[in-house]
Amino acid sequence: MTLKKSFILAVNNLLYDKMRSLLTMLGIIIGVAAVIILISLMDGMMGMVDEQFAELGVDSITVTIQNRGGSRTIDEDDMYAFAEENPNFIKAITPTVTVAGAEVRNKEYDLTTSVTGVDEHYYSMKQLNMGSGQFFQYVDVEKKRNYCVIGTYIEKELFGTGAGLGQNLKINGRSFTVIGVLQEEGDSTSGSQDDVIYIPYTAAVSMSSSSFIGTYTAQAANADDVNSAVTKLEQFLLTKIGDSDYYNVSSVKQIMDMASTITDSMQTLLVCIAGISLLVGGIGIMNIMLVSVTERTREIGIRKSLGAKGRDIKSQFVIEAATVSGVGGIIGIIAGSILSVVFGNMLGLTAYPSLTAIGIAFGVSVAIGIMFGYLPAKNAANLNPIDALRHE
């Protein structure tokens, strides 16, 4: 019997008892759909995480230093000198002074938020965009001018949308002039990307109880060489401070790589769990095929008496099992593709089934059909024609 005839016969057997065929395929359908849904959702989640990290800057490096005192102390001049001496590793660097829980007010309204002191390089390092006005310049930082750049949430709460530029506000009782308003990046709510106030770091230091700056933000010269830049910074700090316990250097890329590793492990685990459904589906196919061999014993005997060889019988039942699992795989792919989009929208993720996930799921489903269909096919091929003809 040719492959085409075996396939047609397999399809006819599926259509002969539709309910039994559907129940046989159910495990494969659920398994394939689960694999596609889980991979799609994990891809969507990883894509969302990558977008959030990208907003922070993949080439961004954070340096935190503890004040050891004495000659082992590092200040901003040392960090600036390091950046100038290593342009192949560091593109720019800025002190980052945070005034946490600052009281911000104008004549009528007040709020509590975090204020960040940086230098003029921060604007390009974080790829900020101005809605109106401008970011402060080198001379503003050098002269410790009381200038600030605010987000749209701060503008909306204190002055009203579009009315913040040129206004005055007080930060912990100290008056600042708004010289710029950033473009809206989030939804202009508390805690969003628009809930920000930037001031010259020199002004932030003068507002704090200590002149020591413990945090710096650096930008690697090349996004592909972030790890090299981190290593170079660590070597510099170790030489200056002499003890690695007094500093820490971390990058957004390292955090992304760590998150990617964790996500990949979770994805593998979830796919393995979903694969159990495929295994159960394969056992169901084997069970039904064994029953089918018993039901069609007399048919097998007739075919053998007419000259059919063992390999013909074996190939027929293997093809039937592969067809059952293949059709189940196609249904599972359709169901999984639809449900992955639906669940993605419910979770706020951009989740679409990948061709890789579809190819793997379908290939595994057919392979399971062939693997679990081999034993029934072998039993059918080994039947004695005379005994088969006597079977009632």
Side-chain angles (χ1 to χ4, degrees):
M1 183 180 292
T2 63
L3 182 63
K4 180 179 179 181
K5 290 182 179 180
S6 296
F7 178 73
I8 293 173
L9 182 60
V11 173
N12 290 334
N13 286 332
L14 282 176
L15 297 176
Y16 177 74
D17 192 341
K18 299 181 181 64
M19 182 56 67
R20 188 171 80 169
S21 299
L22 179 61
L23 293 175
T24 303
M25 295 184 294
L26 190 58
I28 296 293
I29 294 172
I30 294 174
V32 169
V35 169
I36 291 176
I37 291 170
L38 290 174
I39 291 178
S40 300
L41 291 179
M42 291 301 292
D43 286 345
M45 184 180 296
M46 195 60 207
M48 182 181 68
V49 172
D50 287 343
E51 288 179 3
Q52 293 177 343
F53 277 125
E55 292 174 356
L56 298 175
V58 179
D59 54 359
S60 181
I61 302 171
T62 301
V63 180
T64 55
I65 305 170
Q66 296 182 42
N67 188 4
R68 191 177 183 185
S71 61
R72 293 295 189 176
T73 301
I74 288 182
D75 58 23
E76 64 269 32
D77 292 333
D78 296 322
M79 298 300 288
Y80 280 132
F82 169 79
E84 291 177 1
E85 293 168 2
N86 296 274
N88 294 332
F89 296 96
I90 303 297
K91 184 176 182 180
I93 195 166
T94 174
T96 308
V97 181
T98 302
V99 182
E103 294 183 1
V104 182
R105 64 176 65 233
N106 65 359
K107 294 180 180 180
E108 300 178 8
Y109 305 101
D110 64 89
L111 53 85
T112 301
T113 189
S114 179
V115 177
T116 306
V118 294
D119 72 7
E120 70 281 2
H121 297 113
Y122 194 82
Y123 178 77
S124 59
M125 289 171 63
K126 294 299 181 179
Q127 298 181 353
L128 301 177
N129 296 302
M130 302 303 303
S132 59
Q134 63 179 14
F135 206 76
F136 40 82
Q137 305 298 314
Y138 169 79
V139 65
D140 303 323
V141 177
E142 183 69 19
K143 294 184 177 297
K144 304 180 184 180
R145 287 175 177 166
N146 293 339
Y147 288 165
C148 67
V149 176
I150 63 176
T152 52
Y153 166 73
I154 305 296
E155 180 187 47
K156 180 185 70 174
E157 292 295 308
L158 296 184
F159 310 108
T161 302
L165 188 63
Q167 299 287 346
N168 292 321
L169 55 80
K170 288 188 176 182
I171 302 175
N172 288 347
R174 184 170 174 176
S175 182
F176 284 80
T177 301
V178 178
I179 64 170
V181 180
L182 299 170
Q183 282 186 7
E184 185 179 47
E185 297 291 340
D187 50 7
S188 294
T189 57
S190 177
S192 70
Q193 297 165 276
D194 304 310
D195 183 5
V196 293
I197 299 178
Y198 297 115
I199 64 176
Y201 81 86
T202 48
V205 169
S206 65
M207 294 172 64
S208 65
S209 58
S210 173
S211 61
F212 177 76
I213 300 174
T215 305
Y216 295 85
T217 301
Q219 181 182 19
N222 191 315
D224 296 329
D225 295 328
V226 174
N227 293 335
S228 299
V230 168
T231 301
K232 195 72 175 178
L233 271 165
E234 289 175 336
Q235 292 173 348
F236 165 72
L237 293 172
L238 182 61
T239 301
K240 293 287 290 185
I241 298 177
D243 190 339
S244 60
D245 291 336
Y246 283 86
Y247 65 84
N248 180 65
V249 183
S250 62
S251 68
V252 172
K253 186 175 185 299
Q254 288 175 331
I255 300 173
M256 285 183 63
D257 291 342
M258 187 181 301
S260 178
T261 300
I262 295 172
T263 304
D264 289 344
S265 299
M266 290 177 59
Q267 187 178 62
T268 301
L269 177 61
L270 292 174
V271 169
C272 288
I273 294 173
I276 295 175
S277 297
L278 289 172
L279 181 63
V280 173
I283 294 173
I285 289 175
M286 182 172 64
N287 183 47
I288 293 300
M289 293 304 297
L290 286 170
V291 173
S292 179
V293 169
T294 303
E295 292 176 344
R296 296 161 62 186
T297 299
R298 188 172 180 82
E299 173 196 330
I300 294 170
I302 293 173
R303 288 191 60 197
K304 280 199 166 187
S305 65
L306 293 175
K309 297 180 180 180
R311 63 173 178 270
D312 297 323
I313 303 297
K314 186 186 296 184
S315 64
Q316 176 189 343
F317 280 89
V318 169
I319 290 173
E320 285 188 21
T323 301
V324 170
S325 60
V327 172
I330 292 173
I331 297 174
I333 288 170
I334 296 172
S337 299
I338 295 173
L339 291 175
S340 63
V341 175
V342 172
F343 291 155
N345 290 335
M346 291 174 59
L347 297 173
L349 301 175
T350 304
Y352 294 103
S354 65
L355 293 177
T356 302
I358 291 174
I360 291 174
F362 182 74
V364 170
S365 67
V366 174
I368 283 178
I370 294 173
M371 182 174 65
F372 283 92
Y374 180 78
L375 179 60
K378 184 178 179 181
N379 290 345
N382 291 337
L383 285 176
N384 187 296
I386 296 175
D387 294 335
L389 288 170
R390 289 175 180 173
H391 183 80
E392 295 294 334

